[in-house]
Amino acid sequence: MTTSEPLSPVSRTALSVARVRAYESSRPDPLFVDPYAAAFVTAADAPMSASGRGSDLAKALVAHGILRTRFYDDRLLAAGADQVVLLAAGLDTRAYRLDWPAGTRVFELDLAPVLAFKERVLDGLGAVPSSGRTTLPADLLDGDWPARLVGAGFDPARRSAWLAEGLLVYFTPEEAAGLFTAVAGLAAPGSRLLLEKGQDVKATPHDPALAHITGLWRGGLGPDTHGWLDRHGWTTALTALDGLGETYGRPLSRPTTRGFIEAVRRADG
């Protein structure tokens, strides 16, 4: 990506996600259509192939990214909240491509260089959001982002939906705990949080072609992610990736323990 500021290695992984979304959108039977993903790839002058050819790990990551996108699309629209917060939004275009209920406001938080690149591409396409959209340059490891989010119009007294898509794995356990403690301070009872089921990243197979991604993984809260949330004021439900593949007509070629968490903020939290 070409921006006025250099992107961090983690920020550059957003381009890999855009490739997967562009690939899926080009299929004759897509689970979702992101009409902007290919433009991000083109603007970054990056290779387009993301068909899952390559190692078993590469294929698994592509399948995971496709099913994850559709699952989060569905659950965000069903959350019943008119405030949606995309943590480390990257090149996410849900504010544009989803059919949000009237009055929905989407807040996108990420580092300034990522948002600048994204805005340039979307503005060049004449893209118009289908919701109220607010971008907030922010480092989620800094303690000031919650106050800045409220200052941008977020109301912590009202229910909200939060998405941490592909994010937590890049955080240490302490960083992940700090992030979700901050989220809990802003999430009214009944608010929802979507994220991936925790994994032991030390068990990830080595693939040199993917080391620019997997080498950045720190594991977040690990396999006990849902347990940590349950102990800190949330009620969690797990959705297995295997079952989701069957539901969406995309059965996986290999069994997996991966999946997704949907957590609801409790009144006693």
Side-chain angles (χ1 to χ4, degrees):
M1 296 180 194
T2 302
T3 65
S4 58
E5 299 178 54
L7 292 175
S8 72
V10 172
S11 293
R12 287 197 295 270
T13 65
L15 187 57
S16 296
V17 178
R19 282 196 205 97
V20 170
R21 290 178 176 160
Y23 161 70
E24 177 64 17
S25 299
S26 71
R27 288 174 55 109
D29 58 343
L31 292 184
F32 59 86
V33 174
D34 185 339
Y36 311 104
F40 294 133
V41 177
T42 299
D45 194 23
M48 186 57 204
S49 176
S51 61
R53 290 187 295 273
S55 68
D56 289 341
L57 178 59
K59 294 174 184 176
L61 290 178
V62 169
H64 182 267
I66 292 168
L67 293 173
R68 179 178 77 183
T69 299
R70 172 60 185 272
F71 177 73
Y72 290 154
D73 285 357
D74 291 347
R75 298 315 303 156
L76 285 172
L77 289 174
D82 62 2
Q83 301 182 109
V84 178
V85 183
L86 308 180
L87 298 168
L91 302 178
D92 187 311
T93 62
R94 289 184 172 93
Y96 293 81
R97 64 180 182 80
L98 295 186
D99 186 15
W100 296 103
T104 301
R105 189 168 181 187
V106 177
F107 296 87
E108 299 182 13
L109 280 64
D110 211 322
L111 299 175
V114 180
L115 294 177
F117 171 80
K118 182 176 181 176
E119 291 304 307
R120 188 170 71 251
V121 174
L122 291 173
D123 288 349
L125 295 172
V128 178
S130 58
S131 65
R133 177 176 179 256
T134 299
T135 58
L136 183 65
D139 185 341
L140 296 175
L141 297 181
D142 288 344
D144 67 341
W145 71 262
R148 293 181 56 224
L149 180 61
V150 173
F154 178 85
D155 183 356
R158 301 199 340 265
R159 284 195 306 172
S160 50
W162 298 74
L163 177 61
E165 182 173 17
L167 170 62
L168 213 60
V169 71
Y170 296 103
F171 282 19
T172 66
E174 295 76 18
E175 290 168 345
L179 174 67
F180 285 148
T181 298
V183 170
L186 296 170
S191 295
R192 294 178 181 267
L193 170 65
L194 296 163
L195 67 156
E196 285 82 65
K197 178 185 175 185
Q199 299 285 323
D200 179 5
V201 298
K202 295 189 295 294
T204 303
H206 178 64
D207 182 343
L210 296 172
H212 63 292
I213 296 175
T214 59
L216 301 171
W217 288 357
R218 299 294 176 261
L221 295 170
D224 190 44
T225 300
H226 59 286
W228 188 96
L229 290 168
D230 283 329
R231 294 190 297 273
H232 289 82
W234 302 83
T235 298
T236 61
L238 298 176
T239 297
L241 189 66
D242 289 17
L244 199 62
E246 296 287 345
T247 297
Y248 289 144
R250 296 286 184 85
L252 302 181
S253 59
R254 292 174 178 268
T256 179
T257 60
R258 292 183 177 274
F260 307 102
I261 297 171
E262 183 169 6
V264 180
R265 187 70 177 154
R266 298 195 303 264
D268 63 356

